[in-house]
Amino acid sequence: MTIYAEVIGDPIAQSKSPIIHGFWLDALGIDAEYRRTLVSADDLPGYFASRRADPDWRGCNITMPHKIAALDHVEDRGDVRHTIGAINTVVRAEDGTPIGTNTDAGGFYAPLAGFDLSGKPVTVVGAGGAARAVLFALARMNVGPVTLMNRNVLKGGALLAAFGLKGQARPLAQPLAPDTGLLVNASTLGMAGQPPLELDLSPLGEQAIVYDIVYAPLETPLLAAANARGLETVDGLEMLVGQAALAFELFFGVAPPRDRDDDVRDLLIA
């Protein structure tokens, strides 16, 4: 049998993770596979039970809507539940135990490492599993106050408090703060098949950075509006590839060839 890892979610057909991991496996000559697997919420317990018994399974990435629920079915040795509160990667221990972790936070941070965001106000849209990873990273970046925009303002406020971030929660209908240095869409709004994220970017200053974690489509309406303004943008492939690189090393025991990121992007946008 061939060793394998996979990405699980519901839906799952849209996931580009097999393209990324497949490219790296081929480039490194590793005899392994990386698959898409549709797993519903009801199937989560059975999924992890079956994989625990499969010695060829090396782990999985987790996409919506399971990033929080999956915590109940894996071992949490890094106390992710009480830090980020969501997982996107599960690795099989030698005894078969599935161990949850989160590579989204590192993947989110990587493309921002070259920017000085110290003390700058940040606006984040969304309060789901991906937003938790974003807030976790922001809490360690010495940013200024964080405004979290979400339909459920109480949930947004609770998240800010959980990560020790100063700021405020506001409804999506309100305008952006003009001093926002970084705007992050950490929701599914703007994704293919989802409602658009309708934000007026005119209040943003010329130095603002707009970061959309959605990667299908690659240029979301939010990024198109930001590009039209001449603002610095970060697309969802940056975070996707960054978090995948961290997961790949956990699954297969070797770092991927990041010097070939341009080739990976070409495949993803083909």
Side-chain angles (χ1 to χ4, degrees), residues 91-110:
V91 180
R92 185 184 190 275
E94 289 186 4
D95 64 356
T97 301
I99 302 170
T101 188
N102 193 303
T103 63
D104 273 341
F108 166 76
Y109 170 73

Side-chain angles (χ1 to χ4, degrees), residues 68-209:
I68 297 174
L71 271 165
D72 294 333
H73 307 288
V74 302
E75 192 166 308
D76 183 17
R77 296 181 182 178
D79 198 25
V80 181
R81 183 184 296 276
H82 296 108
T83 52
I84 298 179
I87 57 174
N88 78 310
T89 301
V90 176
V91 180
R92 185 184 190 275
E94 289 186 4
D95 64 356
T97 301
I99 302 170
T101 188
N102 193 303
T103 63
D104 273 341
F108 166 76
Y109 170 73
L112 295 175
F115 297 100
D116 182 12
L117 293 169
S118 299
K120 293 185 179 180
V122 175
T123 297
V124 176
V125 177
R132 287 176 173 271
V134 168
L135 294 173
F136 177 85
L138 291 174
R140 285 148 181 80
M141 291 169 59
N142 196 33
V143 298
V146 176
T147 298
L148 196 150
M149 304 181 74
N150 193 53
R151 293 190 183 93
N152 187 328
V153 176
L154 291 178
K155 182 178 180 180
L159 272 184
L160 290 177
F163 289 99
L165 289 164
K166 296 181 179 179
Q168 60 177 328
R170 296 168 55 188
L172 276 170
Q174 292 191 5
L176 292 170
D179 60 350
T180 296
L182 170 66
L183 167 64
V184 182
N185 176 30
S187 75
T188 59
L189 295 174
M191 182 184 293
Q194 300 292 324
L197 174 57
E198 297 178 346
L199 287 178
D200 178 10
L201 302 187
S202 61
L204 296 182
E206 295 180 356
Q207 303 303 312
I209 303 168

Side-chain angles (χ1 to χ4, degrees), residues 3 7 21 31 40 45 48 51 60 69-71 77 91 103 107-108 117 147 178 207 229 233 242:
I3 63 171
V7 57
H21 288 267
D31 184 17
S40 70
F48 283 110
R51 294 308 188 264
C60 68
L71 271 165
R77 296 181 182 178
V91 180
T103 63
F108 166 76
L117 293 169
T147 298
Q207 303 303 312
R229 284 274 321 276
T233 60

